[in-house]
Amino acid sequence: MNIVLLEPEIPQNTANIGRSCACTGSSLHLIKPLGFTIDEKSIRRAGMDYWNKLDLHIYDSFEHFLEVNGKPEIFMATTKAPVTYDKADYRDNSFIMFGKESKGIPEEILLDYKDTAIRIPMLEEFRSLNLSSAVAVVLYEALRQLNFPGLSGKGELHRHSWENT
C-alpha cells in the first residue's frame, strides 16, 4: 500500500502514520510543503525505532508526485466523498491520499477524483477524525480486502504459550 499525505502539518501525526506504514510494509509519500522538518524530535519520538525502517518518499508538489508515480489511481480520503472507504476496491500498491489536518484535500484536486473519493462515516456534527486515526482505519481496510499480504501477525505471548492454557 501507499499512503500519501498532502502538506501534512503536525509532526506527531506524520510520525504515527509512518509507524503504521512501517508495521504494514506500506510506503509513505509526503507532498510539500510540510509543516515541520523530518529531523524534528517529535517525528523521531512518535515514530520511535520504526522511522528508519520506513519506505519514505518526498515530493515538491502534487504535480511532482503525479509525474514521478505515473499518474496512479488515487483513493482520495475526504469527508466530502459520496462513497465510504469500505466500498472501495483496493489493489496491491494502491495509493490512498489524505489532506492536511486543517483543510483536507483541496476541492480543486478532488474534482478530478470523483470515482475514487472515499470517506469514513461519522456523526454529522464532527468535522473529522484525527489524521493518524483516519489513515489507520482506511489502511487496515485496504489490507483486509487483500487478506493482509505479507503480514504474519503470529499473535504469540511473550512469557507464556497459548498451547498451555
Side-chain angles (χ1 to χ4, degrees):
M1 273 309 133
N2 293 278
I3 297 299
V4 183
L5 302 182
L6 178 66
E7 302 176 5
E9 300 167 312
I10 301 172
Q12 295 88 342
N13 281 338
T14 300
N16 286 332
I17 292 164
R19 184 175 182 161
S20 294
C21 287
C23 288
T24 59
S26 300
S27 297
L28 178 59
H29 303 259
L30 303 179
I31 300 175
K32 293 180 180 179
L34 309 180
F36 50 86
T37 60
I38 294 297
D39 61 353
E40 285 186 23
K41 284 183 188 177
S42 51
I43 286 277
R44 290 193 312 271
R45 188 179 316 121
M48 294 179 18
D49 55 342
Y50 296 86
W51 196 253
N52 65 343
K53 296 177 172 90
L54 177 62
D55 181 30
L56 178 65
H57 307 267
I58 301 175
Y59 307 90
D60 291 327
S61 65
F62 182 62
E63 293 73 23
H64 180 223
F65 164 80
L66 292 175
E67 179 183 310
V68 169
N69 292 289
K71 296 185 179 180
E73 177 183 58
I74 307 169
F75 293 95
M76 296 285 181
T78 173
T79 59
K80 302 165 187 80
V83 175
T84 57
Y85 73 100
D86 59 315
K87 303 293 188 261
D89 183 23
Y90 304 101
R91 297 170 190 78
D92 282 341
N93 296 313
S94 284
F95 286 82
I96 307 167
M97 190 164 103
F98 297 81
K100 66 171 120 181
E101 290 91 339
S102 64
K103 296 181 182 178
I105 300 169
E107 290 186 5
E108 295 75 20
I109 292 175
L110 291 175
L111 288 172
D112 292 332
Y113 294 89
K114 179 183 176 187
D115 295 336
T116 57
I118 56 172
R119 69 179 163 79
I120 299 170
M122 67 186 91
L123 294 173
E124 210 170 294
E125 66 261 25
F126 296 99
R127 189 177 66 245
S128 64
L129 291 173
N130 172 276
L131 181 61
S132 61
S133 297
V135 169
V137 166
V138 177
L139 174 59
Y140 269 89
E141 170 60 18
L143 293 170
R144 184 199 64 79
Q145 286 185 19
L146 300 170
N147 295 313
F148 300 105
L151 305 179
S152 64
K154 295 178 184 176
E156 295 296 323
L157 298 172
H158 293 287
R159 295 184 327 270
H160 301 279
S161 171
W162 288 112
E163 283 112 38
N164 296 336
T165 56

